Amino acid sequence: MFDIIFQIENGEPVTVSANQGDNLLEIARSSNVAIDAPCSGNGSCGKCRVKLLEGELDSPQTAHISKEDYDAGWRLSCASRVTGNATVLVPDIALAYQQRMKTADLSTGEEVAIFEALQAQIRDAGITFSNEFATVDVQLEEPTLDDTMPDNERLERELIKKTGAARCEISLPAMRNLATALRSSAFHIRVTGERRGDSFLVYAVSPAADQTPTCAIAVDIGTTTVSAVLTDLETGALLSKASAGNGQIRYGADVINRIVEQGKTGGRERLQKAILDETLLPLIRLLCKTAGAAPDHVVRMCIASNTTMNHLLLAVDADPVRREPYIPSFFHYDDLRAADLSLPIHPWARVHLAPNVGSYVGGDITAGTFASLIWNKEEFSLFIDLGTNGEIVFGNGEFLMCCACSAGPAFEGGDISCGMRATDGAIEAVSIDKETMEPALTVVGSQKPVGLCGSGIIDVIAELYRTSILGANGKFIREGRRIARDKHGMGRYILAFAPESETGREIAITEVDIESFIRAKGAIFSAIDTMLSSLEFDTDMIEHVYVAGGIGSGINMKNAVRIGMFPDVELEKFSYIGNSSLSGAYAMALSDDARRKVTEIAGSMTYMELSTHPGYMDRFVAACFLPHTDAGRFPTSIQE
Amino acid sequence: MFDIIFQIENGEPVTVSANQGDNLLEIARSSNVAIDAPCSGNGSCGKCRVKLLEGELDSPQTAHISKEDYDAGWRLSCASRVTGNATVLVPDIALAYQQRMKTADLSTGEEVAIFEALQAQIRDAGITFSNEFATVDVQLEEPTLDDTMPDNERLERELIKKTGAARCEISLPAMRNLATALRSSAFHIRVTGERRGDSFLVYAVSPAADQTPTCAIAVDIGTTTVSAVLTDLETGALLSKASAGNGQIRYGADVINRIVEQGKTGGRERLQKAILDETLLPLIRLLCKTAGAAPDHVVRMCIASNTTMNHLLLAVDADPVRREPYIPSFFHYDDLRAADLSLPIHPWARVHLAPNVGSYVGGDITAGTFASLIWNKEEFSLFIDLGTNGEIVFGNGEFLMCCACSAGPAFEGGDISCGMRATDGAIEAVSIDKETMEPALTVVGSQKPVGLCGSGIIDVIAELYRTSILGANGKFIREGRRIARDKHGMGRYILAFAPESETGREIAITEVDIESFIRAKGAIFSAIDTMLSSLEFDTDMIEHVYVAGGIGSGINMKNAVRIGMFPDVELEKFSYIGNSSLSGAYAMALSDDARRKVTEIAGSMTYMELSTHPGYMDRFVAACFLPHTDAGRFPTSIQE
């Protein structure tokens, strides 16, 4: 046995015992050092770089490690094996996103305003914000030796009278508290409950003076990021908001890798644990703590997530999702209680999953489509959700068609050598001077740059193309001090020289990155293209384009059109609508009407399976140029 | 810190670190050495005797320890405090009953015959043994790219067709297994489910060839003993039977002590843990293991228990049960799932509690009354359940009246100096020669005697009275070698001299024991007497007397009448019907009709609160003689 010491850049060192030949990434993970490995440890992403400070490792130099870096001690942890004692530095950037969890600052009113505006818009679309939850003030007669009715019957009789329900059901937590609540308040209590059909379900009882609000939680479980809000069921007020990385990320950045992983022995339990125990439970606790809310008064939870994510959350076998004919276990599954998932809220709280419509169009999209309100318009709208997968919905009040394409993690900075998520240090916007070829960078957190996030990648490619530094095929066609090439001739554009960056390492976009990104944007555009043409719709019939998802509000629509990612329609038709999945889940949590509507939308959506659609592959290949092999379709896109 | 070593007589030694002044009983308990202390450690029962082998303890000599025993090292653990290192012997007899768990031997057919006979009798009374559980063989069409309906909808559509249900609900465990079951068997599966109203609930899915039986568990949770059976829901066959001591016993032998304990901080959780985690969970696992049954195919559980026991099981505050006007939180509470109690069976299994009718007449009695079948007769019957409490039901098909009296633990050997439960070494029957005053003993397990169980106590008192060794007031009136007296003049009858017993200690019944037992039998008789006279019924109108409960089949009815415990009716009217609570729970588990009937019986029973009934106290005092102050009521009882 050898001692491996992980020196966490901003944390405490972790010492692990390891055997000869153990894989470094695996022993890190097993000791809860969550080193980021979007490729699931197959050596392809190069994100798991650590620095050997002392001792030895059996670790080859790979394409991801330059000679200089290798000599300085940098190693890919997934490619390293234990051969003796060793101390390795784990830089902050190598640590998985899920080890960071943050609450939104509601004090500025900005976040609150977003949700208030959303509620107003949804109301304008005719959706009533009401639900069947109620708090009831009840004064019971005290029992005597001549009136020995047990507490529950006494309460039920009164509640039936007060609510008009035919039956009354008392949840176990309420039953546990009933005797004490009654006897500490002269039988004058406050009952928190819900009308369900002809029955009234009691969640909680407390002395009449109690004012604890009744709450709901809405969650968007993204492949990469999980976001959630806690809201007051009576007023709809936003009480807290928080987000975290999806703990499953260590099993792969995309859904396919995770489905493969869950198919291994104990895999379903591991994947469920990662999203549930490691992500959702602390996130819910954080939401409650931040808002000062009582977990046993959180009585509803609505979850928007893609089909794979909701299968993995429930530990339902997701394997058929990835195999032709791509059949999930469920689209709609609404029979769950919080206790089924051991969620730290009221154990009898109903958990609603936004319904899926296909293996690759899930509840995140049905909830998001609801929040986009395109179902309430006469004009035809396009709704594009950019995440690890790209999903596209097109239609209006009369019909809705949807499809999904595997864009890969490029929009979130994955698969890109200097890519990163849109956090501090990310280059989020770029402009390039045609003359000097020098870039002007906008960096999140106004610091020295660390890497390049999705919106920055769109910008840099659009600008490189506009300034004729890059050809339509994604290869560099000009030379200069910002253009460098490796020994194989592969070019890169240097956004920041080593001394200019936060990490002291050069930040560049390579031809391989660009090729990778062009495939991603090509997948999005060809999906839109295929769907529209199958409907015999022209681009100019699109009245609105709603862009949602993790790519962030920094996205430059003009540049996205210029690189041929979105169809070339008037810029004013584009709107970025943020996290529409979370917005939809929030509405579902508060409004029974919204929940019915989401189900209706899901039922009315026609799912188009692109992977087997004739013609999709040709369109995809045609879209893998800047802006497109048929440049005439992108008049806005010019090369200067 | 000192080291305390517990030498367990038949087990491994346990070493515990303890501080100066720590209570020996408490440190034993905290290290899972379950020393029996029916009095909850207040020094009154004298059961927690241990022997100091080495080292020191601060421990006074109490009334429970003779001078000789004290000198030999015997101490009451509840009265001992740590003052240094010590080694103590924990004799087997001091170990709590709950550390012993045993399965019944079904191979002899005896137990099976009992349950088959019971089922036949209940059927004869017009109760149908049928339930809404079903296994359904389902062949689904395999999905294709043109038929992409998800698995659950595909199954639901077919089940609705096959079962005629309007809706179908799939439990989470079944949903988890659905994709695999379908794809490993060419979409030909076996579905285990239950019709609930217009819905069909799927518990489990498996390949069509699977033969796992669908099971139910019935449990009787007694204050002292927990008994349970596992049964096949389709055939009603008894698959396994087991029993264990109720783990709560260390918090007190009777319900009142336990209610007091649950009222302390964390008490409800402690009491729940004792019955649930320490008793019920291992018992259920044992039942499944013995029968080779699959826990996830156990889809119903029926529990018969007294009002306090079912409140403590659910961790519902039981405090009002012991305070005038004696109001429990519930009589009927049927909304539970197995997951609510973390029971190791199918998490969605419905848990049914036999309904209570009063604070001291609980589900054990309603289930027992059902099993006694007295509700199906024209003649008037008396049903007596002898446990830690005594409960009495009187009536017929037209009416049922019930009451409870606190008999204390005497029938189970508690409160009696040489008392023990009816296990190996217990003297279960006694006869005494009038001339020589010598006893003839029948001992369980045909070994040397250890102590005296309930039926033995009845016998010895009846025989002592018959042979005029004992007066009507419970004092010895003859002298001889079997009669001894202590320095205060308190007499005892020696059943076994020290060398004749298993433990090497004398086994005797003292005047204090007899007084204690006379109060217990007086409580039973006066309860019967009060109830009958309030109904203006005479003893001779009783057609049947059904005796049930833990006192065991060894009870000599003639002797029980002779001491004035039961009314003096013809001996052939008496029947011992065993554990009627378990029998009732078994019927409830198998038959929806039985469950409805038990609820109907509970609703029709009139509960009489004896503690506040005028005249009860006078009748009790009158019954505290042998056989009674009005000996004319017991013509059978003679003194020779």
Side-chain angles (χ1 to χ4, degrees), chain B residues 564-576:
Chain B
M565 179 166 158
F566 295 153
D568 198 342
V569 300
E570 295 87 332
L571 272 183
E572 58 270 24
K573 289 185 176 175
F574 284 94
S575 317
Y576 177 71

Side-chain angles (χ1 to χ4, degrees), chain B residues 350-381:
Chain B
R350 201 62 81 84
V351 176
H352 298 285
L353 301 172
N356 306 318
V357 295
S359 271
Y360 295 105
V361 173
D364 51 345
I365 301 308
T366 54
T369 302
F370 169 79
S372 78
L373 299 173
I374 64 172
W375 51 270
N376 191 44
K377 294 186 167 64
E378 273 182 47
E379 318 92 81
F380 300 108
S381 301

Side-chain angles (χ1 to χ4, degrees), chain A residues 145 151-152 169-172 175-176 180 268 272 314-315 317 324 328-330 332-333 335 340 348, chain B residues 145 151-152 169-172 175-176 180 268 272 314-315 317 324 327-330 332-333 335 340 348:
Chain A
L145 279 173
D151 291 349
N152 69 334
E169 204 183 350
I170 300 181
S171 70
L172 185 55
M175 188 68 100
R176 284 186 174 140
T180 312
R268 280 200 261 162
Q272 187 185 44
L314 307 188
D317 187 11
E324 204 181 302
S329 282
F330 62 87
H332 197 95
Y333 189 44
D335 299 322
D340 288 321
W348 289 32
Chain B
L145 278 173
D151 292 348
N152 70 334
E169 205 183 349
I170 300 181
S171 71
L172 185 55
M175 187 67 99
R176 285 186 173 141
T180 313
R268 278 200 261 163
Q272 187 186 41
L314 306 189
D317 188 11
E324 204 181 301
I327 308 298
S329 282
F330 61 87
H332 197 94
Y333 189 43
D335 300 321
D340 288 321
W348 289 33

